[in-house]
Amino acid sequence: LFRSFIKELGLVPSNREGFMTIEQGGLKIDGEKVTDKKMTITEATFGGGKILIEKGKKKKVVVELV
């Protein structure tokens, strides 16, 4: 699940906080707000091989598919 993924990246300290962040609209993938709390990350998510994940205004992570 996406909330486990952002926990692994260090954007949130727990799955619960990841759930709450998504619920409150504080997460974006490539500039698009994440609204699905049960979203999964697949190879199709990585359109050009990279995605930008933003939590709020300050935390940003670029993830590259290798």
Side-chain angles (χ1 to χ4, degrees):
L1 291 170
F2 185 62
R3 63 180 181 254
S4 299
F5 184 64
I6 59 173
K7 179 184 171 205
E8 291 292 321
L9 292 174
L11 291 173
V12 293
S14 66
N15 284 337
R16 177 72 182 148
E17 187 163 326
F19 181 85
M20 295 297 290
T21 302
I22 293 169
E23 195 172 62
Q24 295 170 359
L27 248 135
K28 292 181 183 178
I29 294 180
D30 291 332
E32 293 185 34
K33 195 175 285 192
V34 176
T35 56
D36 183 3
K37 292 170 250 171
K38 295 184 179 182
M39 176 184 175
T40 56
I41 296 292
T42 62
E43 197 171 320
T45 309
F46 292 84
K50 294 181 185 178
I51 57 172
L52 171 66
I53 302 173
E54 301 173 77
K55 180 186 179 249
K57 292 182 179 180
K58 296 182 181 180
K59 290 188 176 183
K60 298 177 185 187
V61 176
V62 174
V63 181
E64 186 173 4
L65 188 61
V66 180

